[in-house]
Amino acid sequence: MTDKQTDAPGTADGSSRPGGIGRARRLMQGWSANLVQMALGLSQQLLLIPAFLHVWTGDMLAAWLAIYAAGSLVVVADAGLQLRAINRFLAFKACADCDGRTAQFYAALLRIYLAIVVVLGVLLCAAVVLATPSAVLGFQATPTFDAAMLVMILGMLLTVPANLVSGLYRVRGHYGRTVWLQNAALLLGQIAQLAALAWFGSLLAVAIAFVSMQLLFAILLAAFDAPRLFPFLRRAGKPPLVPPSLRWSVGQFGRAVPFAVANITELALINVPVLLVSALVTNRVAVAQWGLTRVIASLVRGLCLQVTLPLAAELGHDHAVGDKDRLRRLYAHGSVFVTGLACLIVAGLLPFWPDFFALWTHGSIPYDAPLTVTLLLGSAAVAPSLLALVFANHSNRGDLLIRTKGLQLVVFLALSFVLIPQLGPLGAALAVVASDILIQFGLLALIVMRQTLHHPFRHIAFLLLMAVIVVGTGWLIGQAIIALVPGSGLVHFIVECAIWLAAVGTLASPLLSGALRERLRARIPA
């Protein structure tokens, strides 16, 4: 196999858009699927907790959360290969034999994925024998902890090859389909967890219930749905099942490194601050404030990332086939949409988060206004750069990614060790926001915009003006509601939010006019 693209260019759309499904419909399918996936993720992490505590002790719940977190970290085993595959699949769209080259690359990379599963699975089993997880993590007194940990990590490892299939779906215009199938697996997994909890009550039973649905999803996707949806994967005349050369396989890992660095940096920005604050701050109340406040900031960031993923697939397609005009328009409109969504959410959270925080913590944890404002405004400020990040991932900008995201991680860690001992959790918030603004926005996003848009600085000025208007207006409306509707409690909080939504909806109602939306889109600098 070779990465040289010697085929003659094909059509712009080729076979990548089956059935004539329009771009707007694909984006809506992707966004709706991602929204449901986020809701199921919150359900897993928040709503199932009371059910677990009804049967388990606090120690058992802590053990389960450790097991679940370990399973979530298995994503790093992908090592950036999914995004490497996505970029190759996109590049093949400009080839005459797009389906044939896609099938060849897919088969070769699938063998690499299977080799990863085998090697890491053996190493995992050996590690569990040499150093039992219960002893390392301090859960020696928790029954079935070691077995549940092994089942969780090994089971999630077996699902990693499904990343390759998901990447093909994303490139071929079926992004929403794979997410909806995963949503079904998540929902069935939560039902299975509750059933296992009620019937058996052990960590092992709940881990098996969760993992079994994820494995079912992976098998369904890779073995049945993908070959049916893409017949070229199993067509006659495919090359024999000969393993790819060692040199070629190592080369794929090398080309995947920038994507792995970018993804690891994103994971670090979410998880490492929690560890640093816990280690460097002695005030346990302040640590609790940080842990609770960062949840909402991470939710805003996660929602924006989920919104950008369907856009990235479309942008990657336009980039691959050389449709620069369509690419530029979609990038400009998508950037405004993601930024506007983040600013709208932040505008609603700023005035009402203190009331929700008091209800959420039953007043046991004091509200930290500077910490909250820093994290929320930082979430709004970084929103435009998230689209640049995912577009860079889908346009094979490996050199840019490894330079900028690697530098961002270094800047974040340096600022953290300087600011956290002095300012506590606020220092961690400033380190995260500063690294986002200075590196991810000021370097990565600016470079991507200059390469994509005709008027990048006018576009940034437009985004800044829109952000100030949206956040400022939403905050002022919230402050007026707080002044006019005094009170406290859950009912009062719900009434405040309802009034705010009604007021914002009234102000935004002119956007229901298609003619007005077209005029506004025409004014977006691209």
Side-chain angles (χ1 to χ4, degrees):
M1 295 192 65
T2 176
D3 283 339
K4 294 181 180 179
Q5 196 167 300
T6 56
D7 304 67
T11 60
D13 261 358
S15 61
S16 63
R17 294 294 183 264
I21 299 176
R23 168 165 286 178
R25 182 178 173 186
R26 290 193 302 271
L27 289 173
M28 290 304 299
Q29 288 175 345
W31 287 333
S32 59
N34 282 344
L35 184 62
V36 172
Q37 188 175 64
M38 287 195 66
L40 289 171
L42 290 174
S43 174
Q44 174 70 47
Q45 299 183 54
L46 299 178
L47 299 184
L48 290 188
I49 298 300
F52 290 149
L53 286 175
H54 185 71
V55 177
W56 290 343
T57 63
D59 290 342
M60 288 279 284
L61 177 62
W64 166 250
L65 293 177
I67 292 169
Y68 183 82
S72 301
L73 290 176
V74 173
V75 66
V76 300
D78 182 86
L81 287 174
Q82 184 194 42
L83 286 167
R84 165 63 182 163
I86 286 173
N87 279 285
R88 292 308 299 150
F89 293 153
L90 287 169
F92 294 150
K93 288 189 172 186
C95 301
D97 186 18
C98 175
D99 289 349
R101 298 196 65 179
T102 298
Q104 184 183 16
F105 186 83
Y106 177 94
L109 203 60
L110 182 59
R111 297 184 190 106
I112 295 179
Y113 268 103
L114 296 177
I116 291 174
V117 170
V118 172
V119 172
L120 292 183
V122 171
L123 293 176
L124 171 65
C125 294
V128 169
V129 172
L130 296 174
T132 57
S134 60
V136 174
L137 300 175
F139 291 104
Q140 297 94 326
T142 305
T144 71
F145 180 87
D146 291 330
M149 179 69 80
L150 181 62
V151 165
M152 174 64 78
I153 300 180
L154 193 58
M156 295 305 294
L157 183 62
L158 290 171
T159 67
V160 169
N163 290 354
L164 177 63
V165 192
S166 297
L168 180 60
Y169 276 59
R170 187 181 300 182
V171 171
R172 291 305 183 101
H174 293 284
Y175 176 81
R177 182 184 183 92
T178 182
V179 180
W180 278 117
L181 288 173
Q182 189 172 21
N183 289 344
L186 290 171
L187 179 60
L188 291 174
Q190 292 180 14
I191 296 172
Q193 288 173 69
L194 293 175
L197 184 70
W199 290 339
F200 303 102
S202 69
L203 288 172
L204 178 59
V206 175
I208 292 174
F210 176 82
V211 166
S212 61
M213 293 299 106
Q214 299 302 308
L215 279 174
L216 180 64
F217 157 73
I219 294 171
L220 173 66
L221 196 68
F224 299 100
D225 197 60
R228 185 188 64 81
L229 197 61
F230 307 114
F232 59 83
L233 294 179
R234 57 182 180 185
R235 68 182 183 181
K238 282 200 310 181
L241 295 177
V242 178
S245 69
L246 180 61
R247 180 180 178 183
W248 185 88
S249 301
V250 172
Q252 302 313 303
F253 282 104
R255 293 179 176 92
V257 165
F259 307 113
V261 170
N263 290 333
I264 290 172
T265 300
E266 283 296 304
L267 286 173
L269 289 174
I270 294 173
N271 297 304
V272 171
V274 180
L275 302 177
L276 291 177
V277 170
S278 299
L280 300 177
V281 177
T282 57
N283 186 344
R284 295 294 95 182
V285 174
V287 173
Q289 285 177 329
W290 166 257
L292 294 173
T293 306
R294 64 170 288 278
V295 168
I296 192 63
S298 297
L299 180 63
V300 176
R301 189 186 189 102
L303 179 60
C304 291
L305 277 172
Q306 292 296 326
V307 169
T308 62
L309 287 176
L311 285 168
E314 300 295 330
L315 291 169
H317 167 79
D318 292 345
H319 179 268
V321 301
D323 194 343
K324 295 183 179 179
D325 289 337
R326 201 177 186 201
L327 168 64
R328 186 175 62 253
R329 290 195 303 271
L330 180 60
Y331 187 95
H333 296 164
S335 178
V336 170
F337 177 68
V338 173
T339 305
L341 177 64
C343 291
L344 184 62
I345 296 172
V346 169
L349 289 172
L350 280 174
F352 302 124
W353 179 252
D355 291 344
F356 177 79
F357 193 84
L359 291 170
W360 190 26
T361 62
H362 302 287
S364 59
I365 305 294
Y367 170 69
D368 189 329
L371 176 63
T372 303
V373 172
T374 300
L375 286 173
L376 289 180
L377 291 182
S379 299
V382 77
S385 69
L386 296 177
L387 181 61
L389 173 63
V390 296
F391 179 44
N393 275 319
H394 287 71
S395 54
N396 208 23
R397 289 178 167 93
D399 291 341
L400 176 63
L401 284 171
I402 199 167
R403 290 198 309 269
T404 55
K405 296 303 288 184
L407 178 60
Q408 183 182 6
L409 183 58
V410 172
V411 170
F412 160 70
L413 291 175
L415 290 175
S416 295
F417 283 110
V418 172
L419 296 176
I420 293 177
Q422 301 295 325
L423 302 175
L426 180 60
L430 290 172
V432 172
V433 173
S435 67
D436 272 336
I437 293 176
L438 292 176
I439 309 301
Q440 184 160 296
F441 188 94
L443 192 57
L444 187 150
L446 185 58
I447 291 174
V448 171
M449 287 183 183
R450 291 181 66 179
Q451 293 175 349
T452 307
L453 304 177
H454 286 329
H455 308 287
F457 295 104
R458 286 173 56 189
H459 184 79
I460 293 173
F462 183 88
L463 294 179
L464 179 61
L465 177 63
M466 181 187 69
V468 171
I469 292 174
V470 173
V471 174
T473 302
W475 180 79
L476 289 174
I477 292 173
Q479 292 301 312
I481 293 171
I482 291 172
L484 295 174
V485 189
S488 60
L490 178 61
V491 174
H492 174 258
F493 173 72
I494 294 174
V495 170
E496 284 182 325
C497 294
I499 296 174
W500 187 88
L501 289 172
V504 171
T506 300
L507 288 176
S509 59
L511 294 177
L512 294 174
S513 168
L516 176 61
R517 290 199 305 272
E518 288 301 321
R519 288 199 297 270
L520 291 176
R521 276 199 289 263
R523 292 180 178 274
I524 296 175

